[in-house]
Structure formats: C-alpha cells, structure tokens
Amino acid sequence: MTASVDLWPIGNCQVAGLIDRSGSLVWGCVPRLDGDPTFCALLDDKAQGDDAAHGFWAITLEDTVATSQHYIRNTPVLVTQHTDAHGGAIEVIDFCPRYMNNGRMYRPVAFARIVRRLAGSPRIRIALRPATDWGAGKPETTTGSHHIRFLLENLTLRLTTDAPVGWIEAERSFRVERTLHFFLGPDESFTDDLRHGLEEMLARTIAEWRHWTRGLATPYEWQDAVIRSAISLKLCQYEETGAIVAALTTSIPEHAGSQRNWDYRYCWIRDAYYTIQALNRLGALDVLEGYLEYLRNVVDNARGGHIQPLYGLGGEEVLTEREASALAGYRGMGPVRVGNQAYEQIQHDAYGQIVLCNTQAFFDQRLYRRAGIADFEALEAVGERAFQVHDTADAGLWELRTRAHVHTYSAAMCWAACDRLANIAVKLGLPDRADFWQNRADTIRATIEARAWRPETQRFSATFGGDDLDASLIQLLDMRFLPPDDPRFQGTLDAVQQGLRRGSHMLRYASEDDFGLPETAFNVCTFWLIEALHATATPDNGRAEEGRQLFEEMLSRRTAAGLLSEDIDPATGELWGNYPQTYSLVGLINCAGLLSKPWSTIR
C-alpha cells in the first residue's frame, strides 16, 4: 500500500500511534512522542508482504473485501471493521490507556488492541514487527506462555495476549472464535486477568476522554470537526512536562521530492502558543496549565537571555539534526531527519508568544494557579529581551536556514510582549511598570510603522529592509497591532491575497528559499485568510460568505479521521507535510468559532 497521511491517531499524552486505512499501526514512538519509532513503516518503502519489512503491527483478515473505520464518539479510540468474501467479519479496537487511577493519570507506554468476531468464521493473521534504532535493527525476542518480549535499544516492550503466542510469532493465519486481547507495554507481568483488565482499561479510557470533551465550549456548527481537532491537539501534549509537539511525525515532505522533510516532534514556543490560544477558546484549561509549567521552566533556565524557538519534551536544549539512513522515507522520498537544526536559530517572535501564553494566568479566575508578582517579574526579563532585539535580524517564523532579515511578524510579536506586560501591570496595580512597558510598546510600534510600511504600495512589507509579502502579515490583526478597519490592514490584506492566494489556498510566501520555490499551500495560512475575511466583512463586500465557503472547502480536504496535515497541493488537493499538524487544527477551531451561528439560534 502506498503511504498516505490518511491516518487515524490514537494516544494517551505519553505515546501516540497512527493507524492506516488497512488498520495497521504504522507509526509510533517510544517511550515518548519524540522517541525512537518502534513503528516506522510510514517512512519505509517496503511493502508489508516483504519479509524484510518491519516497523508495523498488522492484524489482517483473510480475503478482506471491505474495511471501515470510525472513532468511538468523543474519544481517540479507533474501531476498524473488516469483512471477508465469505461473510466473516471482525472489529479491531485500538487505544492507548489513559484514565485517573489513585489520584494520578495512568498513561503507560502502551498500545492496546482488542479483536472481536462479528460474524461468520473469520481468519486473521497477526504480524507484529517492531523496529529499533530508527529502522536499522530488529529487536531480539524472548517468549513465555502468554507473552513476547521485544528487546529494543533502550527499552523492552512486552506483548501480553490471550491469543496463541506461537501463531503470532509464526505469523500464521487462524480462526477467530472468541474475543482476543493484546497489550504491548512495559516489561512487567500483567497482574490482572487480561480480558477483564483490558476491557476495564477500554471503558475507563472512553469515560476519561468523554469527560474531557464534555467540558469543551464548542461552537454550535461543526461540532464534530472541532471536537476531533481538540482531541488531536490534546494528544500532541506530552502530559508529564506539559510540552506540546508541533506534529506527531517527522519527515513527511512538504511536497513530492522537495527534501523539505523536518522533524516536528518537539515543542516550538510559537506552535504551542497557537495551540494554547485555540484550546483556551474552547475552555480546555488543563492544556494551558500544563504548558505554563513547562514554559516557566524554559524562562527560568534562560535567565533573561536568549530563548530558543524550540525545545525537547523534557526541556532539552540540544536537538542535533541528523539523517536516519535506514529508512527510505515517505513514499521513498527521503531524507528522514531526526532532530531539528532550528533549535540553533534566532527567532525573536518567541518572546511575544511567551508573554501572550502567560497573560491569561493573571486574569482568569478559573485557573488552579493564578499568576502573581513573581511571575510578572520573571516575564519582565522576557519583555526586556524582546525590546532589545525587536529591530534586529532573525530567521523568522518560516525558519529560513541561510538568510536573516528583520521580520515584521517577529517585531510585532516583540511589541505584543511589551503591550501585554503593560496590561498585566495595570491588573497588578503597578502603574509605574505599566507606563514603562507601554512606552516600550509605543517605541516598537513606531519603529514598525516607520520601517515596514510601504506608502507607495499602501501595505506593510514582511521585512524591514525589503518590499516582500508573506502570509504572517495577516497576523497583525490577531495580535491586535492593527484593527480590521484600518486602511493599512485592508491594503496589506489585499496585497497578500493578490500575491499569495492560489485559488482557495494560501502560500506562506512566493519567493525562493533554501529549497527553491514552494509548491504547496500552508493550511494555517488559509485559515488566517478566512479569519481576516470574516473580520473585514461588511454587508456589501461578500467577504463573510467567501470566508464561509473557503472554510467549508478546507473541511472537505480533511482525512477520514477529520484532520489535516501541514500543507496541501492547491491543484490536486492532496495533503502533504507532517501530520496531524497543530497549526492546521488550530486554524480549524478558530475559524469554526468565528463563523458558526450562535447557540441562541436554536435555543
């Protein structure tokens, strides 16, 4: 089967897996989201029928004629149903256990599967072939009467099952005459009765996720799309530390043969800010609280100095980029990259995003831990850094590797840092500090308006020294740097549309970068456009309806799981880039909230 991003995520905020349309587990890292992918077939070009293929877990029904998949409502628990040519049928339930136990969240490094017979005399074949060392090796195994141990490089996983172990080892077909249970997890004896234990894990995991989704403040329209996006964003949080990955995968190219293959399994300050912003609008405050704990440690460790654009899930500062040569890549389109060189880059927008993420904690009375004077003083060091660097060159939010400019977006984020610090100071009753930060915000604003505005074309430039466009200029609206009725924003929006819009989709930029001209549109930029159309709509200009049409089209581009990757081919509609991409799901949630009819229309 040709690799595709048409995948179904499962997970528990410790590990995550991606299930393909045949029901095979083809991606999953251990012992955490940025670990070694013991399931890595997504980035290999060998067919599962090849004896040399590994990095997957397939449960195959003989003579399959139909396969369907769906999530159990409001959960990331996947049900895959297979029917064979003789009337036999099974369902496979995939999940990663996650629920409260003894006052703590139980989220083991584990993947659980349950196979139920639905009809007839179905015969299945199980191929469990973990990989180690980024596809370079196959783990040694040992077996017991009801388990198989896989000795990975730095971890041992144990499959506990009530299916015949010998038949699993031999990958032999056999008839399903009873419900079968599989728990691939820590190298520990399964102390409970496996059937009872796994069925209880399933029930408690479903209940935990439904409890979480029940607290979401969803819009009236597009509830299914918003809930699925929110659950998937939650799966991107590494709950132990609060860090949020930009995507669950690495090295799915931005378009065919582009070599724009990047590892997104780390915590970008920018991406996490947008994720927090979207989930806050739904009332998912647990994600905010967890991330703020992570972020405060990042700020403490920086000690008022440089803050990196991204960190590891445990706050690791060094994320050395290398290539995993044993894996051919998505559809054979390498390289497969591990780590990300962007950790070495200078990206000044991070200072603004740190302050923006923290601001709510000073005002929101629902939070368990309200921010106070000590937190404000820590953030002042971030604001000071933002003021110092606001008019200096950086790599920008698009992470250009071989050039630097003074980017308008980065400068505006530095302005936002100072502006929000002034707001916080007012809240804390610190008028002198409020004046101080407001003066600094005003200074940055004046610099941006003088150096980025192009009076001859009546628009802002993406850089201080040039006369170029990129879609991040639309974010001047979201940052509240410009109101929607400001003629300068109107002119900038018109210019960005004219230069970067391709049909129903938006490019990030249309100029050559380190890898040539971009060929795919960036999904979140299309959502930014939809937000701007909504904000600038009048009864006469048709933008409200246009924005709604673009949103409906973006919804139609989602995978069967209801999700989006990073990029899309404007001509074919094919999705490219890492998956599921937090940016894209953030855009979906934000636009649904803006465009939806109010609940009062049906009350």
Side-chain angles (χ1 to χ4, degrees):
M1 175 181 289
T2 301
S4 167
V5 296
D6 195 0
L7 302 163
W8 300 75
I10 60 172
N12 63 2
C13 305
Q14 172 72 35
V15 294
L18 296 176
I19 312 289
D20 71 10
R21 294 306 299 275
S22 72
S24 294
L25 179 57
V26 296
W27 183 257
C29 301
V30 295
R32 61 187 202 181
L33 299 172
D34 60 353
D36 187 354
T38 194
F39 299 109
C40 56
L42 177 65
L43 299 181
D44 200 0
D45 60 350
K46 300 183 187 72
Q48 290 184 5
D50 187 334
D51 289 341
H54 58 300
F56 65 90
W57 185 359
I59 299 176
T60 307
L61 178 66
E62 280 190 358
D63 301 323
T64 300
V65 294
T67 297
S68 63
Q69 292 170 297
H70 68 274
Y71 283 116
I72 292 177
R73 188 173 72 90
N74 292 353
T75 78
V77 177
L78 177 65
V79 179
T80 302
Q81 295 183 343
H82 301 283
T83 304
D84 66 26
H86 317 291
I90 62 168
E91 71 174 15
V92 181
I93 301 172
D94 283 291
F95 69 102
C96 296
R98 180 179 178 273
Y99 51 85
M100 292 299 295
N101 190 47
N102 295 325
R104 296 173 294 179
M105 188 62 72
Y106 175 67
R107 45 173 191 271
V109 179
F111 302 90
R113 312 191 83 174
I114 299 174
V115 179
R116 305 192 199 281
R117 184 183 70 86
L118 299 180
S121 303
R123 293 176 59 83
I124 64 170
R125 175 176 172 267
I126 298 173
L128 174 52
R129 301 185 193 173
T132 189
D133 191 19
W134 283 87
K138 300 177 183 178
E140 295 182 8
T141 63
T142 64
T143 61
S145 56
H146 296 289
H147 72 262
I148 304 173
R149 297 171 68 242
F150 298 92
L151 283 63
L152 307 179
E153 191 170 40
N154 297 307
L155 177 73
T156 297
L157 291 178
R158 178 190 294 238
L159 175 72
T160 303
T161 182
D162 51 11
V165 168
W167 290 351
I168 296 172
E169 282 191 295
E171 298 184 5
R172 177 180 176 180
S173 294
F174 61 93
R175 182 183 290 195
V176 179
E177 296 196 333
R178 54 187 168 83
T179 299
L180 303 173
H181 302 84
F182 305 85
F183 183 81
L184 181 66
D187 187 25
E188 304 166 355
S189 297
F190 204 93
T191 55
D192 200 356
D193 171 80
L194 180 63
R195 179 190 63 80
H196 172 77
L198 220 55
E199 296 288 354
E200 183 180 9
M201 284 184 183
L202 174 61
R204 293 180 70 175
T205 298
I206 291 171
E208 183 67 38
W209 282 103
R210 286 183 168 169
H211 175 74
W212 187 80
T213 57
R214 189 173 182 269
L216 298 178
T218 60
Y220 166 54
E221 294 184 89
W222 308 297
Q223 291 180 58
D224 288 345
V226 169
I227 290 171
R228 182 54 49 199
S229 295
I231 289 173
S232 300
L233 290 179
K234 177 65 177 172
L235 291 181
C236 289
Q237 182 167 48
Y238 180 61
E239 217 164 35
E240 180 178 311
T241 64
I244 300 169
V245 297
L248 296 177
T249 59
T250 177
S251 301
I252 300 179
E254 293 180 15
H255 59 82
S258 67
Q259 297 194 32
R260 299 171 187 262
N261 303 4
W262 314 115
D263 191 350
Y264 279 11
R265 302 167 308 130
Y266 305 109
C267 185
W268 269 260
I269 302 297
R270 176 175 48 254
D271 300 52
Y273 155 68
Y274 281 110
T275 299
I276 290 299
Q277 181 193 53
L279 289 177
N280 283 353
R281 289 169 176 170
L282 299 179
L285 298 180
D286 61 311
V287 181
L288 169 67
E289 291 174 314
Y291 178 62
L292 286 182
E293 184 174 341
Y294 174 86
L295 196 57
R296 286 169 183 140
N297 281 288
V298 168
V299 172
D300 286 350
N301 292 335
R303 302 185 184 280
H306 168 65
I307 290 178
Q308 297 175 191
L310 67 153
Y311 294 86
L313 300 190
E316 297 86 357
E317 296 175 352
V318 177
L319 304 171
T320 305
E321 186 176 299
R322 63 182 178 87
E323 295 183 5
S325 58
L327 293 173
Y330 180 82
R331 301 184 188 173
M333 300 175 190
V336 172
R337 292 187 171 98
V338 185
N340 199 302
Q341 180 268 335
Y343 83 91
E344 298 178 318
Q345 290 186 359
I346 305 297
Q347 296 178 28
H348 298 322
D349 57 308
Y351 302 109
Q353 288 137 8
I354 289 169
V355 175
L356 288 170
C357 277
N358 276 275
T359 299
Q360 184 169 343
F362 292 89
F363 293 87
D364 195 332
Q365 298 190 33
R366 297 171 298 172
L367 299 180
Y368 288 130
R369 181 196 181 289
R370 297 281 304 282
I373 295 288
D375 300 296
F376 174 70
E377 290 172 348
L379 288 178
E380 284 197 295
V382 178
E384 183 61 35
R385 185 76 178 177
F387 184 75
Q388 291 171 3
V389 302
H390 75 272
D391 58 353
T392 62
D394 71 349
L397 81 163
W398 308 129
E399 301 187 340
L400 302 176
R401 293 197 163 200
T402 60
R403 66 193 78 175
H405 303 283
V406 182
H407 289 92
T408 303
Y409 174 87
S410 297
M413 271 294 177
C414 291
W415 166 84
C418 298
D419 179 77
R420 302 319 192 263
L421 283 170
N423 293 345
I424 295 168
V426 171
K427 173 66 175 177
L428 295 175
L430 302 172
D432 291 345
R433 302 312 294 165
D435 290 343
F436 176 86
W437 287 112
Q438 190 58 59
N439 288 335
R440 294 218 149 172
D442 292 344
T443 299
I444 298 176
R445 172 181 284 279
T447 301
I448 295 171
E449 292 178 339
R451 297 182 61 185
W453 176 248
R454 300 293 173 262
E456 62 278 8
T457 52
Q458 290 294 292
R459 63 173 178 80
F460 280 94
S461 168
T463 60
F464 280 14
D467 189 17
D468 41 5
L469 292 170
D470 81 46
S472 67
L473 290 168
I474 300 175
Q475 286 291 283
L476 295 175
L477 178 65
D478 187 69
M479 285 185 253
R480 302 203 310 271
F481 186 84
L482 294 175
D485 59 353
D486 190 313
R488 295 173 298 174
F489 181 75
Q490 299 271 356
T492 301
L493 176 61
D494 290 344
V496 168
Q497 283 205 79
Q498 184 176 353
L500 302 181
R501 186 167 173 176
R502 302 293 184 269
S504 299
H505 303 283
M506 286 286 291
L507 304 180
R508 286 174 289 182
Y509 47 83
S511 55
E512 285 198 11
D513 59 17
D514 309 322
F515 294 85
L517 287 171
E519 296 182 25
T520 48
F522 204 70
N523 287 324
V524 75
C525 295
T526 302
F527 288 119
W528 289 348
L529 171 63
I530 293 168
E531 291 178 24
L533 291 174
H534 173 80
T536 58
T538 68
D540 303 321
N541 65 14
R543 286 184 170 180
E545 183 57 32
E546 182 184 7
R548 194 176 180 90
Q549 290 174 356
L550 290 178
F551 183 65
E552 292 283 4
E553 180 164 345
M554 288 301 294
L555 291 179
S556 74
R557 301 298 189 184
R558 293 174 299 155
T559 62
L563 304 174
L564 289 165
S565 64
E566 180 183 59
D567 308 279
I568 192 168
D569 186 321
T572 67
E574 183 176 8
L575 293 173
W576 289 89
N578 283 312
Y579 175 91
Q581 171 73 0
T582 55
Y583 266 159
S584 302
L585 303 183
V586 162
L588 188 156
I589 289 171
N590 289 343
C591 287
L594 285 174
L595 302 179
S596 173
K597 298 174 184 176
W599 280 97
S600 60
T601 59
I602 51 95
R603 285 176 178 161

